[in-house]
Amino acid sequence: GAKNNFSLVVELLGEPKWRDRPGFDVPEPGALVIHLRLGDRVDQSKASVEKMLKCGADPLQTAHGQHYEAGIKSAAELLSDAHMAFADLNKKVHTSQIQKRVVYLVGGAHTKVGPDAKSWPYARCLLRAFLDAGFNTSLRALGGASHPDADFFFMANSKAFVVSSGGFSRIIGRVVELQGGRVFGRIFR
């Protein structure tokens, strides 16, 4: 029978040529991967970085009020997502992997992000919040050493994933689920 597009993506991700390419890493099974929607979504927000971190920001305005599924997540919401994910992972993954509490914050932008953009302090403050909360956290973001294709590969191969707003993150979340992983936190539709 005909394959749907998601099945084809999963099949392509399993090809050895991707796993053998430099930079195309896979997170360890006990790690949590959190996608950050940086660039346009954060930089064009009217909210300050402090407000985004404390309260989240930019719900869509609809005829029925505010629609928070499209909004920027606060630090508290992301930390809550992480605690929920590790509680679930603790049931499924070897304890020594969970005790490391490894979190990867992954984010990029499809527009150029300048040094004065809000994305930089937002991502760095989230990194600090996770480190301060006792998570072993790394930041893969904003044109660092990774390529967008390598980031997609990395996120799609996670066993525990927190989505952000936007279609890119939603697609990754679906691929994670098709590969037996779990998606945590507020789901963006």
Side-chain angles (χ1 to χ4, degrees):
K3 292 185 178 182
N4 68 37
N5 290 340
F6 286 113
S7 297
L8 182 58
V9 169
V10 170
E11 184 179 315
L12 290 171
L13 288 173
E15 290 182 2
K17 71 178 181 179
W18 297 111
R19 296 192 185 276
D20 297 338
R21 285 184 69 179
F24 279 68
D25 306 320
V26 175
E28 52 271 41
L32 173 64
V33 177
I34 298 175
H35 181 228
L36 304 176
R37 171 84 183 263
L38 302 174
D40 62 340
R41 190 81 177 122
V42 170
D43 295 335
Q44 293 172 13
S45 173
K46 291 183 173 137
S48 68
V49 171
E50 183 179 3
K51 181 177 191 281
M52 287 182 231
L53 291 164
K54 285 184 176 180
C55 310
D58 295 348
L60 291 178
Q61 299 296 326
T62 68
H64 305 291
Q66 294 183 333
H67 179 61
Y68 282 90
E69 287 185 355
I72 298 165
K73 291 184 176 184
S74 69
E77 181 178 359
L78 289 170
L79 285 165
S80 175
D81 292 346
H83 288 293
M84 185 180 1
F86 280 107
D88 185 75
L89 282 169
N90 199 30
K91 300 173 197 169
K92 299 176 181 160
V93 180
H94 192 272
T95 305
S96 65
Q97 292 175 317
I98 298 301
Q99 289 173 339
K100 295 177 186 174
R101 293 170 43 106
V102 174
V103 174
Y104 295 98
L105 302 174
V106 183
H110 52 76
T111 58
K112 186 169 174 128
V113 176
D116 297 331
K118 294 178 188 177
S119 290
W120 287 109
Y122 176 74
R124 287 187 186 127
C125 287
L126 287 173
L127 173 63
R128 173 62 26 210
F130 273 84
L131 291 169
D132 289 350
F135 292 99
N136 180 2
T137 310
S138 300
L139 178 62
R140 288 174 62 128
L142 299 168
S146 61
H147 183 277
D149 292 343
D151 285 343
F152 180 90
F153 183 83
F154 184 82
M155 290 185 283
N157 279 290
S158 63
K159 297 299 176 204
F161 183 67
V162 175
V163 298
S164 69
S165 62
F168 182 67
S169 195
R170 189 171 49 249
I171 289 168
I172 295 167
R174 182 71 183 119
V175 173
V176 165
E177 290 174 331
L178 286 170
Q179 296 195 100
R182 292 267 327 266
V183 175
F184 296 92
R186 180 167 35 124
I187 306 299
F188 294 87
R189 308 244 179 251

